[in-house]
């Protein structure tokens, strides 16, 4: 039988060894992990303008197609010295809309068309959902979209991450004919074919669909002034 | 009389038995019925299953080795905590390495890698084998059990991906002509219940092959 003293010393030494070991591993692998996160963000942004990339060519394609990025405030004025890529959209979504830093990525497609990519962040059923919406240079018609989630149910809410769901967004409009911002809604039971503001919600994924609708409304509304500025 | 014990060769018949046991007559999933939960969750596709199998094999092998090396110094009153610390440390290292080198797969495995800590196979092997045996046989036992677990995982994932998505490792293997002739992917195979059924079928086949496993 070991004494209490032995047990205390034994556990203390063990904890110290383990702590040092884990710290070394965590610090050693951190640059590589952060690079992976960066590349994934680039891939997501590219996916919203329908450009497919792999982990290998994402950085190259990003530099080629994303010609400019800027950060604006709610009035549509550009904020100097800020890079869109460095803005943490999750944190910004918690800030009141009028104080938010709003990142915008500007993409030039192969045809020479300009697309504006706007990031969004919101809540699904089990955890956060996020995505990117790209609009044509009329700043009204949606060109493409990309959504992802942390823990939505596979086959139900997780369907928002499928291309079939995302493809519905192309051609939808953010403003109505009177120039009022109405955003895009996921309509339960299926959207009307002529509805330019609605897409089919996920059957069995009502809360995720509602979360997505709320996310688009809350996160795109602050861009309203920017979207109304015509070039 | 010399009191130096005769050294056991590295690859004796006993070691071979320690290694092969978990692959067949003492398989952790089909015979010991351990580690079922993760085998239901990560077998939708082959690639995550392969990575999970590799991760578990590394963790079982090295946790057995480390605990066996320390076995004479571990105070018996806190041995479970000590075992858990070793397992948790190894799992965190594996998790960090996956995030750094196979990021896309690590996202799919997400919570399940963390849950290797609670995988019954690990604690089971440490208590039953590593606490009482020398480092080398313990390491072999750990690797054997990891492979025995991984083997079932890969078999289940192979059939689920093939029948559920018509793919193997993400590549389509069912020709288009089949689909035109009316074949359809079985969506049920993607859902967890079918993993349980598949494991059940494997256990059934295993027991009809090895009659000694059938309980009287």
């Amino acid at each position: 039988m070991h004494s209490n003293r032995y047990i205390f010393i034994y556990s203390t030494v063990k904890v110290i060894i383990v702590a040092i070991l884990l710290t070394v591993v965590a610090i050693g692998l951190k640059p590589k992990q952060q690079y992976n996160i960066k590349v994934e963000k680039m891939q997501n942004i590219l996916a919203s303008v329908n450009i497919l990339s792999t982990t290998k060519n994402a950085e190259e394609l990003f530099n080629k197609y994303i010609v400019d990025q800027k950060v604006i405030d709610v009035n549509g004025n550009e904020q100097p010295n800020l890079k869109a890529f460095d803005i943490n959209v999750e944190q910004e979504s918690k800030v009141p809309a009028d104080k938010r830093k709003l990142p915008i990525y500007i993409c030039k497609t192969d045809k020479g068309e300009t697309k504006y990519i706007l990031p969004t962040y919101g809540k699904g059923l089990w955890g956060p959902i996020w995505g990117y919406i790209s609009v044509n240079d009329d700043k009204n018609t949606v060109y493409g979209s990309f959504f992802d989630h942390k823990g939505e149910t596979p086959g139900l809410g997780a369907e928002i991450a499928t291309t079939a769901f995302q493809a519905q967004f192309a051609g939808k409009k953010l403003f109505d004919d009177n120039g009022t911002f109405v955003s895009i809604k996921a309509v339960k039971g299926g959207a009307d074919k002529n509805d330019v503001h609605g897409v089919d919600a996920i059957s069995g994924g009502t809360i995720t669909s509602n979360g997505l609708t709320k996310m688009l409304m809350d996160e795109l509304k602050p861009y309203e002034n920017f979207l109304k500025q015509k070039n | 009389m010399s009191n130096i014990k005769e050294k056991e060769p590295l690859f004796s018949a006993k070691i071979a038995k320690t290694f092969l046991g978990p692959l067949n007559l003492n398989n952790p999933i089909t015979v010991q019925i351990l580690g079922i939960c993760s085998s239901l969750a990560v077998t939708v596709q082959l690639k995550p299953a392969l990575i999970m199998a590799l991760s578990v094999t590394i963790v079982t092998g090295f946790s057995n080795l480390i605990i066996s090396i320390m076995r004479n110094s571990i105070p018996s009153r806190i041995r479970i905590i000590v075992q858990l610390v070793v397992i948790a440390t190894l799992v965190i290292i594996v998790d960090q390495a996956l995030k750094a080198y196979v990021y896309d797969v690590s996202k799919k495995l997400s919570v399940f890698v963390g849950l290797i800590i609670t995988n019954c196979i690990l604690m089971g092997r440490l208590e039953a084998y590593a606490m009482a045996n020398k480092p080398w046989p313990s390491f072999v036992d750990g690797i054997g059990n990891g492979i025995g677990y991984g083997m079932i995982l890969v078999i289940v994932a192979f059939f689920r991906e093939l029948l559920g998505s018509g793919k193997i490792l993400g590549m389509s293997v069912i020709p288009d002509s089949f689909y035109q002739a009316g074949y359809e992917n079985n969506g049920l195979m993607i859902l967890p219940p079918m993993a349980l059924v598949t494991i059940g079928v494997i256990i059934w086949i295993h027991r009809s092959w090895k009659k000694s496993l059938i309980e009287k």
Side-chain angles (χ1 to χ4, degrees), chain A residues 20-39:
Chain A
I20 293 171
L21 182 70
L22 289 182
T23 314
V24 170
V25 171
I27 292 174
L29 293 175
K30 200 160 190 190
K32 194 115 180 112
Q33 293 170 351
Q34 277 173 339
Y35 176 76
N36 288 334
I37 293 169
K38 189 177 119 188
V39 165

Side-chain angles (χ1 to χ4, degrees), chain B residues 186-206:
Chain B
N186 184 349
L188 198 59
M189 288 303 281
I190 293 174
L191 301 174
M194 282 312 282
L196 199 61
V197 172
T198 316
I199 292 175
V201 171
I202 293 174
I203 293 177
W204 178 25
I205 294 171
H206 193 198

Side-chain angles (χ1 to χ4, degrees), chain A residues 58-85:
Chain A
E59 202 163 7
E60 184 195 331
L61 290 175
F62 186 85
N63 292 333
K64 182 179 164 197
Y65 287 106
I66 307 298
V67 291
D68 195 11
Q69 41 176 300
K70 56 185 176 185
V71 178
I72 58 161
D73 63 12
V74 75
N75 298 318
N77 300 322
E78 199 172 331
Q79 307 255 53
N81 304 327
L82 286 174
K83 241 182 121 194
F85 203 80

Side-chain angles (χ1 to χ4, degrees), chain A:
Chain A
M1 200 69 170
H2 294 282
S3 66
N4 283 348
R5 192 185 147 85
Y6 177 83
I7 295 176
F8 275 121
I9 296 173
Y10 189 90
S11 21
T12 313
V13 170
K14 192 172 156 95
V15 167
I16 292 171
I17 293 173
V18 166
I20 293 171
L21 182 70
L22 289 182
T23 314
V24 170
V25 171
I27 292 174
L29 293 175
K30 200 160 190 190
K32 194 115 180 112
Q33 293 170 351
Q34 277 173 339
Y35 176 76
N36 288 334
I37 293 169
K38 189 177 119 188
V39 165
E40 196 202 10
K41 190 171 174 182
M42 287 177 171
Q43 284 187 288
N44 292 354
I45 292 170
L46 288 172
S48 74
V49 278
N50 309 328
I51 296 169
L52 286 180
S53 57
T54 62
T55 44
K56 286 196 183 76
N57 67 10
E59 202 163 7
E60 184 195 331
L61 290 175
F62 186 85
N63 292 333
K64 182 179 164 197
Y65 287 106
I66 307 298
V67 291
D68 195 11
Q69 41 176 300
K70 56 185 176 185
V71 178
I72 58 161
D73 63 12
V74 75
N75 298 318
N77 300 322
E78 199 172 331
Q79 307 255 53
N81 304 327
L82 286 174
K83 241 182 121 194
F85 203 80
D86 301 330
I87 300 289
N88 185 336
V89 183
E90 180 186 353
Q91 272 170 16
E92 291 304 317
S93 70
K94 290 171 190 151
V95 175
D98 53 336
K99 292 198 180 98
R100 265 184 220 171
K101 300 187 194 85
L102 305 165
I104 296 169
Y105 304 91
I106 296 155
C107 165
K108 266 261 189 307
T109 62
D110 283 331
K111 287 181 198 155
E113 294 164 353
T114 307
K115 313 287 173 193
Y116 299 93
I117 303 168
L118 317 173
T120 61
Y121 190 92
K123 283 194 199 86
L125 172 59
W126 302 113
I129 54 175
W130 60 90
Y132 296 88
I133 286 265
S134 65
V135 291
N136 287 340
D137 56 359
D138 65 355
K139 294 183 178 173
N140 183 13
T141 316
V142 174
Y143 176 66
S145 72
F146 173 86
F147 299 106
D148 207 350
H149 62 93
K150 187 154 187 201
E152 300 308 300
T153 320
L156 301 176
E159 293 288 302
I160 59 162
T162 59
T163 42
F165 177 76
Q166 290 160 12
Q168 297 185 81
F169 283 78
K172 301 289 170 188
K173 303 222 186 270
L174 297 176
F175 291 90
D176 67 8
D177 295 339
N178 305 323
T180 316
F181 181 77
V182 283
S183 179
I184 296 167
K185 289 178 179 62
V187 182
K188 200 177 170 182
D192 190 83
K193 266 191 184 150
N194 302 319
D195 185 357
V196 291
H197 304 295
V199 295
D200 298 347
I202 307 284
S203 37
T206 307
I207 296 178
T208 312
S209 302
N210 290 348
L212 186 96
T213 303
K214 187 173 181 309
M215 168 174 91
L216 292 177
M217 187 67 197
D218 294 354
E219 295 280 294
L220 296 179
K221 179 90 176 154
Y223 286 96
E224 192 176 354
N225 285 321
F226 165 79
L227 294 170
K228 278 182 174 166
Q229 291 168 358
K230 296 299 166 197
N231 296 333

